[in-house]
Amino acid sequence: MMRMNETRSDTFSDELLGFSIPSRDSRGRAVRLGPVVEEILAAHDYPPALKHALAEALVLATLMGGLMKDEGDQLTMQAQGEGGIVSLLVCDYRDGAIRGYIEHDEEQMAAEGANPSLDALFGKAHLAITFDIAKTGKRYQGIVPMEGDSLSAAVESYFMQSEQIPTLIRTAISSSKGQTVAAGLLVQHLPEGEEGRERLHVELDHPEWEHVSILADSLRHEELVEPGLSLEDIVWRLYHEEDKILVSPGAQLSKGCRCTIEHFEEVLARFPKEERRDMADDEGIILVDCAFCSKVFPIQD
């Protein structure tokens, strides 16, 4: 087997890892979030079940965002529910910066207990995934119903229904001694046909895809979140018998809230003066609350 980075510094957390298996027409992404996910979750006092859901969503957004090619490209994942605990879950990824938050009903969360199902969390819901391409200014969006028993299953359905790309995703969340680690692996079978043209001969039972997906499915939860096991070694364990694996380190990850007073001033400037006056207090101050980082910004109208 050939590896691109024999003299590498292994990837353990808060960095993306990309890889491909040319002989199997497959590619993958792996990630393990440590301090970054802790920082994002700390912005709100979420109960454990919602921390778990948001951590999984951040992993998924990072894995999908890592598939994008150019600087400034952005991936946004939004789950909207009706009749469940969660009314909105939003995560996005841009150039290694990730952020996310959950809107939920606290009373309903307390009534459901410690381990609500996906259906109890979101009720009747759909998942929207949007790719914003910086170079062209184009936006691509796919919407699928929230089905299955996890957010990962819904994202797999998105790739199959909207992108027609066979995809397998495995995620793992660990909370120990007050610390959260969230990790994931994504593998895909690249369809025949040139990029940007019609995808030809997409087959879920393609023998090359069956081989790659069966091996990926053998990955254990404990391996994904094991702090002493690098992402490179996980890929090696799964595919060490292949002729060649091309490994490429990805972006360093960070908390990516982009809130600033300047940004909110620009947003508020789009509202008519009468509406801004209604928003302001007696001293002419508009208090803007950032849902992502839970900070409050005073804006002088």
Side-chain angles (χ1 to χ4, degrees):
M1 187 186 95
M2 171 183 171
R3 304 174 89 173
M4 286 183 65
N5 53 344
E6 291 292 349
T7 58
R8 68 185 192 273
S9 175
D10 279 2
T11 303
F12 290 94
S13 68
D14 292 343
E15 184 179 349
L16 260 167
L17 181 74
F19 64 93
S20 63
I21 309 172
S23 63
R24 304 288 184 181
D25 297 321
S26 298
R27 67 176 176 183
R29 297 292 184 271
V31 71
R32 184 184 293 128
L33 301 176
V36 168
V37 74
E38 283 276 295
E39 187 178 2
I40 294 172
L41 294 178
H44 295 275
D45 187 20
Y46 295 118
L50 295 189
K51 283 187 177 182
H52 188 286
L54 183 54
E56 181 182 9
L58 289 165
V59 167
L60 294 169
T62 304
L63 291 172
M64 290 188 288
L67 297 172
M68 305 182 81
K69 297 179 179 179
D70 298 319
E71 184 177 350
D73 291 349
Q74 179 169 312
L75 176 285
T76 303
M77 184 176 78
Q78 182 170 305
Q80 286 190 288
E82 182 179 342
I85 296 166
V86 176
S87 56
L88 178 67
L89 182 155
V90 178
C91 293
D92 66 34
Y93 171 100
R94 187 173 72 184
D95 299 331
I98 56 175
R99 60 180 183 171
Y101 75 95
I102 293 180
E103 291 181 3
H104 69 287
D105 185 310
E106 293 184 7
E107 291 185 2
Q108 197 169 351
M109 179 73 237
E112 285 289 344
N115 296 300
S117 65
L118 191 71
D119 184 61
L121 278 175
F122 291 95
K124 183 180 180 182
H126 66 268
L127 182 72
I129 296 174
T130 306
F131 293 89
D132 288 293
I133 310 302
K135 186 179 293 185
T136 63
K138 291 184 177 179
R139 169 176 289 187
Y140 303 93
Q141 185 179 74
I143 300 176
V144 295
M146 289 275 286
E147 296 176 341
D149 58 1
S150 67
L151 286 170
S152 300
V155 173
E156 288 179 346
S157 296
Y158 159 80
F159 276 110
M160 193 61 231
Q161 295 178 30
S162 297
E163 300 288 334
Q164 293 187 317
I165 300 178
T167 302
L168 183 142
I169 300 172
R170 291 295 174 264
T171 59
I173 315 297
S174 173
S175 295
S176 177
K177 298 179 181 179
Q179 294 184 327
T180 299
V181 176
L185 176 82
L186 175 151
V187 291
Q188 294 183 320
H189 186 234
L190 300 177
E192 297 178 30
E194 295 181 19
E195 186 175 345
R197 298 175 60 186
E198 182 182 1
R199 296 188 174 102
L200 307 175
H201 312 305
V202 175
E203 301 175 57
L204 281 175
D205 60 351
H206 193 291
E208 302 290 6
W209 170 241
E210 284 190 339
H211 175 84
V212 170
S213 61
I214 287 172
L215 290 176
D217 199 29
S218 71
L219 181 63
R220 292 179 290 112
H221 180 284
E222 297 79 20
E223 291 176 292
L224 269 174
V225 294
E226 171 56 50
L229 183 64
S230 73
L231 298 178
E232 286 87 350
D233 284 331
I234 288 176
V235 175
W236 166 258
R237 286 186 179 187
L238 294 174
Y239 299 114
H240 62 274
E241 294 185 354
E242 302 302 324
D243 294 334
K244 182 189 295 186
I245 300 176
L246 304 180
V247 178
S248 54
Q252 285 287 146
L253 303 171
S254 63
K255 178 185 175 183
C257 195
R258 299 184 286 276
C259 57
T260 62
I261 287 180
E262 292 75 19
H263 170 71
F264 291 128
E265 286 177 340
E266 291 177 6
V267 173
L268 289 170
R270 301 168 193 166
F271 288 84
K273 287 185 178 180
E274 294 77 13
E275 291 188 29
R276 295 202 306 271
R277 191 176 299 117
D278 291 338
M279 298 177 195
D281 61 19
D282 293 340
E283 298 179 356
I285 302 296
I286 301 173
L287 297 178
V288 181
D289 182 2
C290 176
F292 287 101
C293 67
S294 200
K295 293 179 182 178
V296 177
F297 293 80
I299 310 295
Q300 179 70 55
D301 186 26

